[in-house]
């Protein structure tokens, strides 16, 4: 099979799973009206698949900041920070993130994906070990592969399995980086951080926490799981993205280890890429201020999330283990998941369809991401529609 | 690693792969796990976790990239086991 035939085979497998005309992956969004509504085809749909947790994508302050930066500094930086230099906004945002977490150092990356890729591949290399949760995001897996370190997985959120694997590593634990996530993107559950920190200290490892989905969502000021658990002093490195709660593009790593700065000289995903544009940095800076002050937004987000989680659970859907802004209904087969996804779209609700092998353990998921800007009526409508489709599903099976 | 260690591992792998395989292939040391047995990557990773517990070892997932046949997997497991 030549290279193009391999792509044809992959396309055929995808078509076999998704009937003609169903574009579940890469849905064309024709117009965006607000943080909660857009047009798909000729339908005005409710957006529940956008990770826009605080609903800040149309914040006038963020839009104004982006406009001002465009006017002042242009559309792009046209190159890397190593070659073209660091703009004021890059440096300011790094300091603001470090201050936010109370750490001494921060680095901004061009995307959240690159934040994990660049941090992991900068911290570990051949001869080192990374110990990762089996439900880790692709950016973590890819960062580990790029690093050349030995990659060992433990069962998702299973402390006993993690402990067993640390014991098996023996003296190598000193050169081991443990990587976990604040909120996991598939099932929306949180890492048992207190127990993980206990193991990290017992085995003298280094700990990286990815707060991509928990930034803005957990903790008094929205730092994430690290703040909710009060473990800022125990976590060595925190990564995150600007593309969810901050409604921009980019990523960051912060640490209390001043050695973080060295990544600027060794991490390829930081060095060999164009730096974030002035407008994306400016809107991220404005959103970070709103996120820190956004106690009421978080309160509303959690009200919406618990309302929808309870509604779906009462209906009978199999869900992730705890409520949160990422709510995943676990279906028995891709066919069932596709039927529900189509049914929701026909009722003007857009959510994410996740099919094997993207979902953990071969599951098929309908994933909703709730946001603070959804109204109670919108959440009720979504819950009622899910319930209607559940009944139809039972009748059809 | 002794010959009996390797044989014990081979025997266990053949038994487990037989119960997972979707086809009626007779499993030998040269059987290709993915292409001949039609075992998907998720089932294979679950099998790996089970084997890890059986032998109290951890198999790095990047080492699995070189595994094609049952013999490759048995050799990898024995190597890790004897290095511990």
């Amino acid at each position: 099979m030549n290279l193009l035939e391999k792509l044809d085979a992959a396309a055929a497998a995808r078509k076999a799973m998704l009937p003609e005309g169903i574009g579940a992956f890469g849905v064309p969004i024709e117009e965006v009206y607000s943080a909660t509504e857009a047009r798909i085809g000729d339908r005005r749909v409710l957006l529940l698949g956008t990770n826009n947790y605080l609903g800040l994508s149309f914040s006038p302050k963020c839009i104004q900041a982006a406009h001002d930066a465009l006017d002042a500094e242009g559309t792009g930086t046209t190159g890397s920070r190593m070659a073209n230099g660091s703009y004021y906004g890059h440096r300011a945002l790094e300091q603001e993130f470090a201050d936010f977490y109370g750490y001494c150092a921060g680095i901004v990356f061009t995307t959240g994906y690159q934040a994990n890729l660049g941090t992991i591949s900068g911290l570990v290399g051949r001869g080192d070990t990374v110990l990762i949760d089996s439900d880790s995001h692709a950016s973590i897996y890819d960062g580990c592969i790029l690093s050349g370190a030995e990659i060992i997985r433990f069962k998702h959120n299973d402390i006993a399995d993690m402990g067993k694997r640390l014991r098996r590593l023996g003296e190598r634990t000193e050169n081991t980086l443990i990587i976990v996530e604040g909120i996991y993107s598939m099932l929306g559950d949180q890492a048992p951080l207190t127990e993980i920190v206990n193991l990290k200290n017992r085995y003298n490892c280094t700990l990286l926490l990815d707060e991509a989905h928990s930034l803005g969502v957990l903790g008094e000021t929205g730092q994430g799981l690290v703040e909710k658990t009060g473990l800022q002093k125990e976590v060595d490195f925190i990564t995150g993205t600007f593309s969810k709660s901050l409604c921009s593009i980019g990523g960051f790593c912060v640490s209390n280890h001043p050695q973080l700065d060295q990544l600027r000289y060794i991490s390829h995903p930081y060095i060999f890429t164009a730096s974030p544009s002035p407008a994306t940095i400016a809107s991220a800076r404005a959103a970070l201020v709103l996120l820190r002050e956004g106690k009421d937004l978080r309160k509303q987000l959690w009200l919406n999330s618990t309302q929808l989680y309870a509604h779906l659970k009462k209906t009978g859907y199999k869900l992730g283990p705890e409520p949160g802004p990422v709510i995943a209904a676990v279906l028995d087969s891709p066919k069932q998941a596709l039927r529900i996804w189509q049914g929701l779209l026909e009722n003007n609700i857009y959510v994410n369809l996740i099919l094997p092998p993207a979902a953990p353990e071969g599951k098929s998921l309908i994933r909703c991401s709730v946001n603070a800007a959804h109204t109670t009526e919108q959440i009720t409508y979504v819950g009622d529609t899910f319930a209607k489709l559940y009944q139809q599903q039972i009748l059809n099976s | 690693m002794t010959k009996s260690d390797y044989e014990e591992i081979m025997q266990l792998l053949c038994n487990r792969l037989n119960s997972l395989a979707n086809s009626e292939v007779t499993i030998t040391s040269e059987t290709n796990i993915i292409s001949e047995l039609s075992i998907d990557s998720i089932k294979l990773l679950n099998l790996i976790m089970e084997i890890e517990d059986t032998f109290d070892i951890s198999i790095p997932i990047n080492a699995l990239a070189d595994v094609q046949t049952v013999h490759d997997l048995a050799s990898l497991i024995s190597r890790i086991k004897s290095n511990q």
Side-chain angles (χ1 to χ4, degrees), chain A residues 121-155:
Chain A
S121 63
L123 288 175
V124 291
R126 285 193 193 283
D128 301 323
T129 303
V130 280
L131 184 60
I132 62 173
D133 188 286
S134 59
D135 278 12
S136 291
H137 187 262
S139 58
I140 293 174
Y141 276 99
D142 291 352
C144 293
I145 291 166
L146 181 66
S147 75
E150 193 175 77
I151 309 164
I152 292 172
R153 301 187 325 158
F154 59 92
K155 289 178 191 162

Coordinates of all heavy atoms in Angstrom, one line a residue, chain A residues 121-155:
Chain A
S121 N 9.0 18.2 26.2 CA 10.3 17.9 25.5 C 11.5 18.7 25.9 O 12.6 18.3 25.7 CB 10.1 18.0 23.9 OG 9.8 19.4 23.6
G122 N 11.2 19.8 26.6 CA 12.3 20.6 27.2 C 12.7 20.0 28.5 O 13.9 20.1 28.9
L123 N 11.8 19.4 29.2 CA 12.1 18.9 30.6 C 12.8 17.5 30.6 O 13.6 17.3 31.5 CB 10.9 18.9 31.5 CG 10.3 20.3 31.9 CD1 9.0 20.1 32.6 CD2 11.3 21.0 32.8
V124 N 12.3 16.7 29.8 CA 12.8 15.3 29.8 C 13.4 14.9 28.4 O 13.0 15.5 27.4 CB 11.7 14.3 30.2 CG1 11.3 14.4 31.6 CG2 10.5 14.4 29.3
G125 N 14.2 13.9 28.5 CA 14.8 13.4 27.2 C 15.2 11.9 27.4 O 14.7 11.3 28.3
R126 N 16.0 11.5 26.5 CA 16.5 10.1 26.6 C 17.1 9.8 27.9 O 17.8 10.6 28.5 CB 17.5 9.8 25.5 CG 16.9 9.7 24.1 CD 17.7 9.1 23.0 NE 17.1 9.4 21.8 CZ 16.1 8.7 21.3 NH1 15.6 7.7 22.0 NH2 15.5 9.0 20.2
G127 N 16.7 8.6 28.5 CA 17.2 8.2 29.8 C 16.3 8.6 30.9 O 16.4 8.2 32.0
D128 N 15.3 9.5 30.6 CA 14.4 10.0 31.6 C 13.1 9.2 31.4 O 12.9 8.5 30.4 CB 14.1 11.5 31.5 CG 15.3 12.3 31.7 OD1 16.2 11.9 32.5 OD2 15.4 13.3 31.0
T129 N 12.1 9.3 32.4 CA 10.8 8.6 32.2 C 9.7 9.6 32.4 O 9.8 10.5 33.3 CB 10.7 7.5 33.3 OG1 11.9 6.6 33.2 CG2 9.5 6.7 33.2
V130 N 8.6 9.4 31.7 CA 7.4 10.2 31.9 C 6.3 9.2 32.3 O 6.2 8.1 31.7 CB 6.9 11.0 30.7 CG1 7.7 12.3 30.6 CG2 7.0 10.3 29.4
L131 N 5.6 9.6 33.4 CA 4.5 8.7 33.9 C 3.2 9.5 33.6 O 3.0 10.5 34.2 CB 4.7 8.4 35.4 CG 3.8 7.5 36.0 CD1 3.8 6.1 35.4 CD2 4.0 7.3 37.5
I132 N 2.4 9.0 32.7 CA 1.2 9.8 32.3 C -0.1 9.0 32.5 O -0.1 7.7 32.5 CB 1.3 10.2 30.9 CG1 1.4 9.0 29.9 CG2 2.5 11.1 30.7 CD1 1.3 9.5 28.4
D133 N -1.1 9.7 32.7 CA -2.5 9.1 32.9 C -2.9 8.6 31.5 O -2.6 9.2 30.5 CB -3.4 10.2 33.3 CG -4.8 9.6 33.7 OD1 -5.6 9.3 32.7 OD2 -5.1 9.6 34.9
S134 N -3.6 7.4 31.5 CA -3.9 6.8 30.2 C -4.9 7.7 29.4 O -5.0 7.6 28.2 CB -4.5 5.4 30.4 OG -5.6 5.5 31.2
D135 N -5.7 8.6 30.1 CA -6.6 9.5 29.4 C -6.0 10.8 29.0 O -6.7 11.8 28.7 CB -7.8 9.8 30.2 CG -8.8 8.7 30.2 OD1 -8.5 7.6 29.6 OD2 -10.0 8.8 30.7
S136 N -4.7 10.9 29.0 CA -4.0 12.2 28.7 C -4.3 12.7 27.3 O -4.5 11.9 26.3 CB -2.5 12.0 28.8 OG -2.1 11.8 30.1
H137 N -4.3 14.0 27.2 CA -4.6 14.7 25.9 C -3.4 14.4 24.9 O -2.3 14.1 25.3 CB -4.6 16.2 26.1 CG -5.1 17.0 24.9 ND1 -4.1 17.6 24.1 CD2 -6.3 17.2 24.4 CE1 -4.8 18.2 23.1 NE2 -6.1 18.0 23.2
A138 N -3.8 14.4 23.6 CA -2.8 14.1 22.5 C -1.5 15.0 22.6 O -0.4 14.5 22.3 CB -3.4 14.3 21.2
S139 N -1.7 16.2 23.1 CA -0.5 17.1 23.2 C 0.5 16.5 24.2 O 1.7 16.8 24.1 CB -0.9 18.5 23.6 OG -1.6 18.5 24.8
I140 N 0.0 15.8 25.2 CA 0.9 15.3 26.2 C 1.6 14.0 25.6 O 2.8 13.9 25.7 CB 0.1 14.9 27.5 CG1 -0.4 16.2 28.2 CG2 0.9 14.0 28.5 CD1 -1.3 16.0 29.4
Y141 N 0.8 13.2 25.0 CA 1.4 12.0 24.4 C 2.5 12.5 23.3 O 3.6 11.9 23.3 CB 0.3 11.2 23.6 CG -0.4 10.2 24.5 CD1 -1.7 10.5 25.0 CD2 0.2 9.0 24.8 CE1 -2.3 9.6 25.9 CE2 -0.5 8.0 25.6 CZ -1.7 8.3 26.1 OH -2.4 7.4 26.9
D142 N 2.1 13.5 22.5 CA 3.0 13.9 21.5 C 4.3 14.5 22.1 O 5.4 14.4 21.5 CB 2.3 14.8 20.5 CG 1.3 14.1 19.7 OD1 1.2 12.9 19.8 OD2 0.5 14.8 19.0
G143 N 4.1 15.3 23.1 CA 5.3 15.9 23.8 C 6.2 14.8 24.3 O 7.4 15.0 24.3
C144 N 5.6 13.8 24.9 CA 6.4 12.7 25.5 C 7.2 12.0 24.3 O 8.4 11.7 24.5 CB 5.5 11.7 26.2 SG 4.8 12.3 27.7
I145 N 6.5 11.7 23.2 CA 7.2 11.1 22.1 C 8.3 11.9 21.6 O 9.4 11.4 21.3 CB 6.1 10.8 21.0 CG1 5.1 9.7 21.4 CG2 6.8 10.3 19.7 CD1 3.9 9.5 20.6
L146 N 8.0 13.2 21.4 CA 9.1 14.1 20.9 C 10.3 14.2 21.9 O 11.4 14.3 21.4 CB 8.5 15.6 20.8 CG 9.4 16.6 20.3 CD1 9.8 16.4 18.8 CD2 8.7 18.0 20.4
S147 N 10.1 14.0 23.2 CA 11.2 14.1 24.1 C 12.1 12.9 24.0 O 13.3 13.1 24.4 CB 10.6 14.1 25.6 OG 10.2 12.8 25.9
G148 N 11.7 11.8 23.6 CA 12.5 10.6 23.6 C 12.6 9.9 24.9 O 13.3 8.9 25.0
A149 N 11.9 10.4 25.9 CA 11.9 9.7 27.2 C 11.1 8.4 27.1 O 10.3 8.2 26.2 CB 11.3 10.6 28.3
E150 N 11.3 7.6 28.1 CA 10.5 6.3 28.2 C 9.1 6.7 28.7 O 9.0 7.4 29.7 CB 11.2 5.4 29.2 CG 10.8 4.0 29.3 CD 11.6 3.2 30.2 OE1 11.4 3.3 31.4 OE2 12.5 2.5 29.7
I151 N 8.1 6.2 28.0 CA 6.7 6.6 28.4 C 6.0 5.5 29.1 O 5.8 4.4 28.5 CB 5.9 7.1 27.1 CG1 6.7 8.1 26.3 CG2 4.5 7.6 27.5 CD1 6.1 8.3 24.9
I152 N 5.5 5.7 30.3 CA 4.8 4.7 31.0 C 3.4 5.3 31.4 O 3.3 6.4 31.9 CB 5.5 4.2 32.3 CG1 6.8 3.4 31.8 CG2 4.7 3.3 33.2 CD1 7.7 3.1 32.8
R153 N 2.3 4.5 31.1 CA 1.0 5.0 31.4 C 0.5 4.3 32.7 O 0.8 3.2 32.9 CB 0.0 4.6 30.3 CG 0.3 5.1 28.9 CD -0.8 4.8 27.9 NE -1.5 3.6 28.2 CZ -2.7 3.3 27.7 NH1 -3.4 4.2 27.1 NH2 -3.2 2.1 27.9
F154 N -0.3 5.1 33.4 CA -1.1 4.4 34.5 C -2.6 4.5 34.2 O -3.0 5.4 33.4 CB -0.7 5.0 35.9 CG -1.0 6.4 36.1 CD1 -2.2 6.9 36.6 CD2 0.0 7.4 35.7 CE1 -2.5 8.2 36.7 CE2 -0.3 8.7 35.9 CZ -1.5 9.2 36.4
K155 N -3.4 3.6 34.8 CA -4.8 3.6 34.5 C -5.4 4.9 35.0 O -5.0 5.5 36.0 CB -5.5 2.5 35.3 CG -5.1 1.1 34.7 CD -5.8 0.0 35.5 CE -5.2 -1.3 35.1 NZ -5.5 -2.4 36.1

